[in-house]
Amino acid sequence: MERTLSIIKPDGVAKNVIGEVIRRFETSGIKIAAMKMIQLTKPQAQGFYAVHKQRPFFDSLTDFMTSGPIVVMILEGEDVIAQNRKLMGATNFKDAEEGTIRKDYATDIEKNVVHGSDAPETAAFEIGYFFNDLEIQQR
Ligand code: CMP
């Protein structure tokens, strides 16, 4: 069993697709092991996206991520990191496959509705960034 961190970004929350995104996870057999809605401060967003701090889009991305509430979740399942990435589609919605979350709802390379960890090491860091052990359902 594997875990990954999923975020419904401020644009996804504003578009009222929280339920739709979660429905896609659940109908794919993915379990939600933890979930909360929060609004990040700028330092919190900068800490989360620290790997991108040299990128030209870092300031804009961290502004966007603090612009409204987000929903953070731990997803659990077999091969869930890859499964979630398939459901999300490519980072740039223009390259995303038909039927993916980003193809259906993203409007911009930055405002791309969802985030998902890209590897086991990043999943461990990202889960620990938002959740402590008491907040995670143990099955
Ligand atoms: P995410 O999967 O959360 O990982 C990093 C985020 O940076 C990405 O989704 C986009 O929201 C954003 N991003 C990635 N590439 C670019 C880019 N070229 N321009 C602006 N934002 C980007």
Side-chain angles (χ1 to χ4, degrees):
M1 209 47 80
E2 192 174 66
R3 284 179 179 162
T4 192
L5 187 88
S6 168
I7 303 178
I8 304 177
K9 298 185 180 185
D11 60 326
V13 173
K15 283 184 179 131
N16 273 0
V17 296
I18 297 171
E20 174 59 21
V21 170
I22 293 174
R23 185 190 70 75
R24 291 180 187 213
F25 294 151
E26 290 190 319
T27 56
S28 302
I30 293 170
K31 299 283 184 201
I32 294 169
M35 175 161 65
K36 58 188 164 192
M37 184 183 248
I38 54 175
Q39 184 155 358
L40 294 175
T41 63
K42 181 86 171 171
Q44 287 169 339
Q46 289 168 330
F48 180 74
Y49 278 119
V51 291
H52 295 306
K53 67 171 179 287
Q54 304 304 338
R55 303 287 195 95
F57 56 80
F58 183 67
D59 196 45
S60 169
L61 172 64
T62 51
D63 273 350
F64 162 58
M65 289 301 289
T66 63
S67 67
I70 60 172
V71 175
V72 285
M73 286 171 273
I74 300 175
L75 307 182
E76 202 169 64
E78 207 173 304
D79 214 14
V80 74
I81 295 173
Q83 208 189 341
N84 180 40
R85 292 179 70 76
K86 197 161 171 50
L87 289 172
M88 290 193 298
T91 302
N92 188 343
F93 72 105
K94 291 181 179 161
D95 302 327
E97 279 182 42
E98 290 296 330
T100 60
I101 295 167
R102 286 168 171 161
K103 183 72 174 185
D104 290 345
Y105 299 110
T107 50
D108 187 296
I109 190 167
E110 180 177 88
K111 296 174 184 63
N112 60 357
V113 188
V114 278
H115 167 83
S117 314
D118 62 2
E121 304 72 42
T122 42
F125 165 76
E126 293 180 356
I127 286 169
Y129 198 80
F130 287 112
F131 295 98
N132 64 47
D133 284 350
L134 290 175
E135 296 172 306
I136 304 173
Q137 300 307 309
Q138 309 294 336
R139 289 177 231 260

